Amino acid sequence: MPPVLDPHDLYAADRPGMLAPAVQSFPARVYVPNTESDTVSVIDPATYKVIETLHVGRQPQHVVPSWDLKTLWVNNDLGNTLTPIDPATGAAGTPVDVHDPYNLYFTPDGKYAIVMASNDRQLVFRDAHTMQQVKAVPVNCAGVNHADFSSDGRYFVVSCEFSGDLLKVDTASMTVVAQQKLPMADAMPQDVKVSPDGRTWYIADMMANGVWVLNADTFAAPTLLPTGKGTHGLYVSRDSKSLYISNRGEGSISVLDFATGALKTKWWIPGGGSPDMGGVSADGKVLWLSGRYNAEVYALSTDDGHLLARIPVGQGPHGLCVYPQPGRYSLGHTGVFR
């Protein structure tokens, strides 16, 4: 894998303006998969307006940048396809057959895509370009969905939302090397994100109403940091100092200070909402989140969390992708860049 720019900050390549040559000519857009409408709403972030609606496959869950940043893959989970979008033109291409693509990640060396096949209970390694299957890894848990990689890329941690398990997976051997059940009976882990120094892992849990704090090297039992009801998505600020944590069940966003590991503020969406998955604008000034149960998207200022726009979209908006974003390559989900 390409070495990180700064061993003390995994996100050092994600600073404002550090767009890779491959994406510099792409127009700024926000791509919103609407799970119940089978569409992708395309928002112009300059006007906060939907400028196009793309028809894709059944139940699109996430829009995922490819490792080389040149393609956006729409994960049509029940449609068993990936729809490619050309971010230069915004046009959708011919779907590729991939079974049960709930979510999608890429190995840090760019060789393989990793399909989070939630219903199939598998991690499926595929060629990152052709999507041909290389290896299917059965898992002993239910609902594999989100992940993040260690600083050296040697392993990654996966959440299993329906059984409350965490998996530790060796990247090179494509094997599950450790597994633990979260210490709460009805735990339901969601998004996973590693801290800039690579030492601490945060796992959002919508039933525990907070984030689990984990040392993934030792893989010892994590501790819970309460944030808000229905904790769901995790996004790193462009200066690598803060973690934005969406609390879907109460319409708020908690902000964690990486330096102290403590929460420093909470932002509330006026009138409520259901903030779910999203991303940060290329300049770091706007946090975009889908409103899963309100058929809308929220744009919030990262200065103080005030609502900049509330944009109507299709039904069930989920893993939206803000694009392009800074970074040299994508590890998947709605935009995990190094």
Side-chain angles (χ1 to χ4, degrees):
M1 60 176 275
V4 296
L5 294 182
D6 179 351
H8 303 292
D9 183 0
L10 303 181
Y11 306 104
D14 299 351
R15 294 286 183 267
M18 294 177 66
L19 295 176
V23 307
Q24 288 179 357
S25 64
F26 294 164
R29 298 287 184 263
V30 179
Y31 299 87
V32 187
N34 303 305
T35 56
E36 303 306 320
S37 300
D38 300 339
T39 59
V40 171
S41 300
V42 183
I43 298 172
D44 180 347
T47 62
Y48 299 115
K49 302 291 186 184
V50 174
I51 58 172
E52 190 170 9
T53 300
L54 305 173
H55 293 274
V56 293
R58 181 74 184 98
Q59 200 177 80
Q61 294 284 0
H62 301 92
V63 176
V64 177
S66 63
W67 185 89
D68 64 7
L69 310 175
K70 296 179 180 178
T71 304
L72 298 175
W73 291 107
V74 183
N75 304 167
N76 304 311
D77 191 16
L78 295 186
N80 297 315
T81 57
L82 298 176
T83 298
I85 294 176
D86 181 350
T89 64
T94 303
V96 177
D97 290 337
V98 169
H99 202 264
D100 191 18
Y102 178 80
N103 206 349
L104 188 66
Y105 288 84
F106 294 91
T107 56
D109 62 7
K111 290 184 179 179
Y112 304 113
I114 308 169
V115 175
M116 298 288 158
S118 177
N119 293 325
D120 291 344
R121 296 195 178 202
Q122 291 180 335
L123 302 175
V124 183
F125 291 76
R126 293 175 175 270
D127 181 286
H129 298 285
T130 67
M131 292 296 168
Q132 291 299 305
Q133 182 171 315
V134 176
K135 181 179 180 179
V137 181
V139 296
N140 185 27
C141 69
V144 288
N145 58 10
H146 296 91
D148 201 356
F149 288 83
S150 62
S151 57
D152 57 11
R154 292 183 179 180
Y155 70 83
F156 56 101
V157 173
V158 179
S159 60
C160 303
E161 69 172 309
F162 299 127
S163 60
D165 289 274
L166 300 179
L167 308 178
K168 184 175 181 179
V169 183
D170 184 274
T171 308
S173 65
M174 306 177 190
T175 55
V176 177
V177 295
Q179 180 169 348
Q180 67 167 296
K181 191 170 288 293
L182 287 166
M184 179 177 163
D186 57 351
M188 205 167 183
Q190 307 292 315
D191 205 358
V192 180
K193 202 72 72 200
V194 66
S195 62
D197 63 8
R199 296 177 177 176
T200 305
W201 298 64
Y202 297 94
I203 300 104
D205 191 318
M206 63 182 289
M207 295 305 290
N209 299 325
V211 292
W212 295 100
V213 183
L214 173 75
N215 180 330
D217 283 342
T218 65
F219 211 58
T223 58
L224 182 65
L225 175 65
T227 60
K229 187 177 180 182
T231 311
H232 220 82
L234 306 172
Y235 305 99
V236 178
S237 64
R238 289 268 167 256
D239 59 7
S240 300
K241 293 182 178 178
S242 302
L243 182 67
Y244 306 122
I245 304 166
S246 63
N247 303 308
R248 191 175 72 185
E250 64 178 33
S252 74
I253 295 90
S254 298
V255 184
L256 180 140
D257 181 358
F258 279 123
T260 64
L263 301 179
K264 56 183 178 182
T265 190
K266 181 182 280 192
W267 302 329
W268 295 87
I269 296 172
S274 50
D276 194 289
M277 295 292 175
V280 179
S281 62
D283 62 9
K285 296 181 178 179
V286 182
L287 173 63
W288 291 85
L289 294 168
S290 59
R292 188 73 179 272
Y293 300 127
N294 299 80
E296 59 191 9
V297 164
Y298 316 108
L300 302 106
S301 167
T302 56
D303 286 336
D304 57 9
H306 77 271
L307 188 66
L308 297 168
R310 184 193 297 264
I311 306 160
V313 293
Q315 294 297 319
H318 190 205
L320 70 76
C321 178
V322 181
Y323 212 69
Q325 295 186 55
R328 299 168 299 164
Y329 56 94
S330 163
L331 294 176
H333 192 34
T334 60
V336 180
F337 301 97
R338 298 282 198 267

